[in-house]
Amino acid sequence: MTTMSHKIFCAVDTTDLDTAVNIARILETQGGAIKLGLEFFNTHGPAGIKLMQEQFPALPLFLDLKYHDIPNTVAKTIKTITHLQPAYLNLHASGGKDMMTAALAALTEESERLGIKRPRLLGVTVLTSLDEDAMKEVGQQGPVRDQVLKLAELTKEAGLDGVVCSSHEIEAIRSVCGQDFTLIVPGIRPAGSATQDQKRIMTPREAIEKGATHLVIGRPITQAADPAQALHAIYDEIKEVA
């Protein structure tokens, strides 16, 4: 299992437990990492997450639930999930600085109470499914890049560990938030893959070269005829720059 391979979190977006287990087994043997989100969590809940961790204890987990509510609600909710010890948790940075600081304080307090390592907490900037036109529809005027940078800086001010951002903002965020700020980058498509519902995309090698900490790649792996081979091909693409 290599540090380089952990740069890839495979997005396992499914309600089917057997499917998730089968993909997790491939990721474990290949030294990868897993991202479980709303589809899986809303179907199987914390018990499903716990089951996956018990079967695959060495598989780093990004629990992608994108919390967004008033500060008190998010803080209390964060406490209920801390015991699962994911490597990463996230929330919407657009929920504001007070929400983020409350969440971080709750996560830190609960981790200390349980005697565990605190999961890293990330702010989601702008979803990679949104482009300039989509942002205008929800009342956000100006370039997407400006909004991403504003939210990344706010996330850093709140003390969080990093952000989820598109590959197109990596270099700009690095310039204002530094090299130690974690950047998890979805919207990654290997050359020749379909873009599907992603709009701000890039290849794995390009994103790593620009400074991504981790990549999130889902369907190009999970829907491949041979997921293990698809993952291996991506590792080959990034190994010289990872």
Side-chain angles (χ1 to χ4, degrees):
M1 189 175 299
T2 69
T3 301
M4 183 273 286
S5 61
H6 283 169
K7 284 186 175 290
I8 299 174
F9 278 88
C10 180
V12 181
D13 299 317
T14 181
T15 60
D16 184 73
L17 185 59
D18 289 340
T19 297
V21 167
N22 288 337
I23 295 172
R25 187 171 292 115
I26 292 170
L27 296 173
E28 185 179 55
T29 59
Q30 295 291 324
I34 191 169
K35 182 180 81 70
L36 295 173
L38 291 170
E39 289 181 57
F40 185 89
F41 190 81
N42 286 355
T43 304
H44 303 287
I49 300 294
K50 197 70 177 175
L51 184 149
M52 293 290 288
Q53 290 179 311
E54 288 172 352
Q55 289 200 46
F56 307 101
L59 196 62
L61 168 66
F62 174 13
L63 190 53
D64 178 24
L65 301 180
K66 299 184 181 74
Y67 296 120
H68 190 170
D69 212 310
I70 64 173
N72 187 56
T73 297
V74 171
K76 288 182 176 179
T77 303
I78 285 278
K79 281 193 172 186
T80 69
I81 211 75
T82 304
H83 72 281
L84 292 175
Q85 294 183 256
Y88 290 98
L89 279 170
N90 62 359
L91 45 71
H92 275 288
S94 56
K97 188 174 180 180
D98 287 349
M99 186 196 79
M100 289 192 281
T101 55
L104 180 60
L107 184 62
T108 301
E109 178 183 326
E110 187 66 4
S111 297
E112 290 176 352
R113 188 186 73 81
L114 295 171
I116 62 174
K117 181 179 179 181
R118 176 179 68 78
R120 290 178 175 270
L121 187 60
L122 308 171
V124 177
T125 55
V126 175
L127 299 175
T128 51
S129 59
L130 300 177
D131 57 13
E132 305 290 346
D133 291 337
M135 291 293 283
K136 288 178 183 177
E137 288 176 352
V138 297
Q140 175 62 48
Q141 302 300 318
V144 170
R145 178 181 178 277
D146 290 354
Q147 179 69 359
V148 170
L149 283 178
K150 183 183 297 183
L151 292 172
E153 289 182 274
L154 189 65
T155 301
K156 187 174 178 66
E157 288 174 15
L160 273 62
D161 300 290
V163 294
V164 180
C165 65
S166 96
S167 52
H168 294 270
E169 292 90 40
I170 293 171
E171 292 171 308
I173 294 174
R174 281 273 175 247
S175 70
V176 297
C177 294
Q179 295 302 311
D180 294 331
F181 201 57
T182 296
L183 303 184
I184 292 191
V185 181
I188 299 298
R189 291 290 182 268
S193 297
T195 61
Q196 293 154 321
D197 57 355
Q198 302 284 8
K199 295 178 180 177
R200 290 162 27 246
I201 63 173
M202 194 170 283
T203 68
R205 184 186 179 98
E206 289 171 332
I208 292 294
E209 286 178 333
K210 287 182 179 295
T213 310
H214 299 290
L215 309 179
V216 174
I217 306 175
R219 286 166 285 189
I221 297 171
T222 61
Q223 294 182 8
D226 186 340
Q229 178 55 39
L231 185 58
H232 184 73
I234 297 169
Y235 291 163
D236 280 346
E237 180 181 339
I238 68 173
K239 66 183 179 182
E240 293 180 5
V241 292

